Amino acid sequence: MQKRAELYRGKAKTVYYTDNPDLLILEFRNDTSAFDGLRIEQLERKGMINNKFNHFIMNKLAIAGIPTQVEQLLSDNEVLVKKLAMIPVECVIRNRAAGSLVKRLGIEEGRVLNPPTFELFLKNDALHDPLVNESHCRAFGWATTEQLERMKALSFKINTILSELFDKAGLILVDYKLEFGVFNGEITLGDEFSPDGCRLWEKETLKKMDKDRFRQGLGGVIEAYEEVAQRIGVVL
Ligand code: ADP
Ligand code: UDP
């Protein structure tokens, strides 16, 4: 499948049209951003790792019955996906307190959240991706009640599948962000699942193995991503 015109260049990926109007190519770049794009650095190999990581995870989810965008891995940095009409909110599931939840509510980092929480954030860098609720989504036309119900149910189902997968690899899935879109009327998982958009802690040591290493200047970012990939069986 040939790349055609660029549709969108985001902070970490570039999206291209293809000859098929229903399909796009996502190109994973090495750009690594934090603080709503305020800080951007190139991390060698990151594009390749996240592309293969994402493909591996989305395949697992598809096998478990989750509708996903993935069509075919094309190269180290490219994947062919369904062209979704993206819903402009991010769905965040948390199994432990970390990140913005800790700051916003003063909860101690690492506290187990049982049941896990489900939050919605508007995708808008200029507004720093504010927390929104379901009535905002309905009132502003971002998602319907039915779409919200489906996104929530899929997010929790994905939590069950992935928490087990990472647990078996000696890792805690602390939290993660998902983006959904609509394809042929069906809510479908889009964007990516990679250590850029989730928090993973080593079970024994609670060592951070995700993008927090970049956000917090801890070093060893790519080494951590590679270690996680290797532990869950991603072939790099
Ligand atoms: P950002 O837009 O946050 O800077 P990226 O650099 O990851 O993020 O850019 C990828 C863009 O492509 C995002 O805006 C995302 O919503 C969009 N996208 C991801 N998957 C699909 C898809 N399957 N169909 C259409 N758009 C997609
Ligand atoms: N996340 C993301 N993109 C965003 C915001 C959050 O991928 O624009 C992920 C983040 O990596 C974490 C989870 O969503 O795994 C929850 O993020 P949080 O709300 O704690 O915000 P943060 O402190 O990461 O800004």
Side-chain angles (χ1 to χ4, degrees):
M1 184 66 68
Q2 286 294 310
K3 265 186 197 165
R4 296 297 174 199
E6 185 178 305
L7 167 63
Y8 176 77
R9 185 182 167 91
K11 295 185 293 297
K13 299 191 288 300
T14 310
V15 185
Y16 295 91
Y17 288 108
T18 67
D19 294 329
N20 184 331
D22 286 334
L23 301 178
L24 297 173
I25 292 174
L26 301 183
E27 180 190 75
F28 288 69
R29 307 193 314 272
N30 289 338
D31 294 299
T32 312
S33 73
F35 316 116
D36 304 311
L38 218 64
R39 188 168 141 224
I40 297 179
E41 281 176 34
Q42 294 279 311
L43 296 180
E44 205 150 319
R45 289 170 62 77
K46 197 207 66 155
M48 180 274 292
I49 296 168
N50 279 3
N51 184 33
K52 293 189 176 174
F53 199 108
N54 174 59
H55 186 254
F56 178 92
I57 294 284
M58 290 228 177
N59 256 339
K60 292 270 180 208
L61 295 175
I63 290 165
I66 306 286
T68 86
Q69 66 182 356
V70 168
E71 288 283 315
Q72 193 191 338
L73 192 68
L74 294 177
S75 70
D76 274 3
N77 289 73
E78 298 162 311
V79 65
L80 186 67
V81 298
K82 295 184 175 72
K83 182 178 193 293
L84 311 183
M86 297 304 289
I87 293 187
V89 293
E90 301 182 337
C91 298
V92 171
I93 293 267
R94 300 178 193 270
N95 295 303
R96 299 252 196 159
S100 71
L101 182 80
V102 165
K103 284 196 206 121
R104 194 169 62 243
L105 299 180
I107 308 288
E108 156 206 9
E109 187 182 67
R111 177 158 157 190
V112 175
L113 305 172
N114 190 14
T117 61
F118 175 78
E119 296 167 335
L120 296 162
F121 294 89
L122 178 64
K123 259 185 82 77
N124 185 321
D125 283 337
L127 297 177
H128 309 292
D129 292 358
L131 182 71
V132 294
N133 64 29
E134 297 189 10
S135 77
H136 294 132
C137 293
R138 286 189 289 268
F140 302 118
W142 299 325
T144 65
T145 302
E146 293 70 31
Q147 289 172 335
L148 290 162
E149 280 311 309
R150 183 73 176 142
M151 292 196 295
K152 193 194 292 188
L154 287 174
S155 297
F156 279 116
K157 187 168 175 198
I158 290 168
N159 197 34
T160 306
I161 300 162
L162 296 187
S163 292
E164 190 190 332
L165 183 142
F166 287 112
D167 181 70
K168 283 187 181 148
L171 298 159
I172 301 168
L173 179 59
V174 171
D175 60 27
Y176 56 90
K177 179 267 297 179
L178 302 173
E179 290 183 32
F180 293 95
V182 180
F183 187 81
N184 283 344
E186 185 182 26
I187 288 288
T188 303
L189 179 64
D191 203 50
E192 73 179 277
F193 189 101
S194 75
D196 267 6
C198 69
R199 288 192 169 91
L200 293 162
W201 295 349
E202 203 170 46
K203 242 196 279 182
E204 300 299 319
T205 61
L206 299 185
K207 183 182 169 189
K208 295 175 172 30
M209 305 293 284
D210 52 68
K211 198 177 179 181
D212 270 351
R213 301 201 70 79
F214 176 75
R215 294 190 190 98
Q216 298 174 10
L218 299 173
V221 182
I222 290 307
E223 291 78 2
Y225 283 29
E226 278 180 325
E227 158 108 31
V228 172
Q230 181 250 319
R231 282 203 202 183
I232 63 172
V234 182
V235 181
L236 296 179

